């Protein structure tokens, strides 16, 4: 957990993610990334001397509804309250729209729902579990499919809801996320999405892996490029 907390601390310092008095919602999908983020932020409160609060928010989908007993138990152990709501996202995306590539729309809808829930509960920030590879895969998708240099920012104010979205794990390698899930034995839920493993993001993951087999430090160089203020400035520091 030392590496995880170190990466979170560095992102927090670089981008001003968490401030004293913040009421932080953690978006919990049931996947490895969000469960590690939840566990790490519960410990990070001790590092930050308890100057912010945490509340877990979870949106479920699919039929039947998933069993969230283990995730509720984890939240009790971490002393983090959780709110779980079942949604009709599956029906919207796969039954009515029959979308072949629903990931971008699904992510946008989930983020909007989570921001609305956070606002209802009086929470001013929403923490999402995107890690380093998520950042780089999004950059590659934007370049190859949209013709622009773009990826999500570690800190973004959502103007409609007034909630600030933060991504504390943007410096954390995915391989460490996988390692920590084994170490902590986190209760990861099966992903019910029919598109899981057959998406453009999965293609970018494989392309990035091929690139790094030829150039082992490619991930680190791409991440540094995002912070190069003189030439690119995609990630401005606070």
């Amino acid at each position: 957990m030392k590496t995880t907390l170190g990466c979170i601390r560095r992102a927090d310092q670089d981008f001003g993610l968490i401030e004293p008095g913040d009421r932080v919602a953690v978006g919990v999908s049931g996947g490895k990334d969000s469960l590690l983020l939840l566990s790490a932020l519960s410990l990070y409160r001790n590092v930050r001397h308890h100057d912010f609060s945490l509340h877990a928010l979870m949106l479920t989908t699919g039929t039947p509804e998933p069993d969230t007993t283990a995730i509720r138990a984890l939240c009790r152990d971490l002393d983090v309250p959780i709110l779980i709501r079942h949604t009709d996202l599956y029906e919207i995306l796969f039954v009515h729209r029959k979308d072949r590539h629903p990931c971008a729309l699904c992510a946008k809808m989930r983020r909007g729902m989570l921001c609305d829930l956070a606002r209802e509960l009086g929470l001013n920030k929403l923490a999402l579990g995107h890690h380093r590879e998520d950042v780089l895969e999004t950059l590659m998708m934007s370049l190859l499919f949209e013709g622009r240099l773009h990826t999500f920012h570690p800190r973004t104010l959502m103007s409609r809801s007034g909630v600030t979205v933060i991504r504390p794990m943007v410096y954390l390698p995915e391989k460490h996320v996988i390692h920590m899930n084994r170490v902590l034995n986190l209760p990861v839920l099966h992903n019910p999405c029919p598109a899981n493993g057959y998406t453009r993001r999965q293609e970018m993951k494989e392309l990035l892996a091929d690139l790094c087999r030829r150039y082992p430090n490619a991930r680190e160089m791409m991440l540094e490029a995002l912070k190069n203020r003189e030439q690119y400035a995609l990630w401005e520091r606070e």
Side-chain angles (χ1 to χ4, degrees):
M1 187 62 80
K2 183 177 180 181
T3 299
T4 305
L5 292 176
C7 288
I8 289 176
R9 181 199 287 271
R10 184 154 63 98
D12 187 13
Q13 292 173 343
D14 284 354
F15 303 106
L17 301 183
I18 301 176
E19 299 161 306
D22 275 344
R23 302 173 304 281
V24 181
V26 181
V28 176
S29 66
K32 65 184 191 319
D33 309 329
S34 63
L35 292 179
L36 178 60
L37 176 63
L38 177 65
S39 301
L41 286 181
S42 72
L43 292 176
Y44 193 57
R45 287 181 298 185
N46 300 327
V47 177
R48 289 289 304 263
H49 307 293
H50 296 272
D51 64 359
F52 68 95
S53 63
L54 285 178
H55 198 302
L57 302 179
M58 184 174 185
L59 302 176
T60 63
T61 187
T63 304
E65 295 185 23
D67 182 2
T68 58
T69 303
I71 292 179
R72 291 181 186 274
L74 174 66
C75 288
R76 285 196 299 271
D77 292 341
L78 298 176
D79 192 25
V80 177
I82 185 170
L83 173 64
I84 300 177
R85 286 194 179 173
H86 193 66
T87 73
D88 56 0
L89 279 173
Y90 180 92
E91 288 76 13
I92 293 173
L93 296 172
F94 293 103
V95 177
H96 300 298
R97 289 178 56 90
K98 296 181 173 61
D99 200 330
R100 293 182 58 193
H101 300 287
C103 299
L105 178 59
C106 182
K108 183 177 181 179
M109 293 177 68
R110 281 182 176 274
R111 187 169 59 246
M113 291 176 181
L114 288 170
C115 283
D116 288 343
L117 275 180
R119 183 180 57 185
E120 289 175 20
L121 294 172
L123 309 173
N124 67 310
K125 288 185 177 173
L126 170 64
L128 301 179
H130 295 114
H131 49 66
R132 182 186 68 179
E133 276 64 33
D134 288 326
V135 173
L136 301 182
E137 290 158 13
T138 300
L139 177 64
M140 294 175 68
M141 284 193 293
S142 176
L143 176 63
L144 296 178
F145 296 111
E146 299 174 359
R148 60 177 183 146
L149 288 172
H150 172 76
T151 190
F152 48 73
H153 197 277
R155 173 175 174 154
T156 306
L157 174 64
M158 310 305 289
S159 57
R160 184 179 65 82
S161 64
V163 173
T164 298
V165 173
I166 60 175
R167 297 173 170 93
M169 297 202 307
V170 289
Y171 289 149
L172 189 67
E174 185 178 21
K175 65 181 181 181
H176 189 75
V177 176
I178 295 170
H179 168 70
M180 286 308 302
N181 270 268
R182 294 195 190 106
V183 170
L184 299 175
N185 193 28
L186 295 174
V188 175
L189 291 180
H190 168 70
N191 188 345
C193 178
N196 185 38
Y198 303 96
T199 63
R200 285 176 174 169
R201 181 169 295 278
Q202 181 62 33
E203 293 174 5
M204 294 302 101
K205 186 182 295 292
E206 295 168 3
L207 182 59
L208 185 59
D210 288 341
L211 184 64
C212 290
R213 276 190 281 272
R214 176 169 293 190
Y215 307 108
N217 65 337
R219 292 184 177 92
E220 288 75 15
M221 291 298 98
M222 292 172 69
L223 198 63
E224 284 302 312
L226 292 176
K227 297 183 291 180
N228 190 328
R229 299 181 66 179
E230 294 182 359
Q231 296 184 28
Y232 310 108
L234 294 186
W235 274 8
E236 287 284 1
R237 292 173 183 261
E238 294 295 325

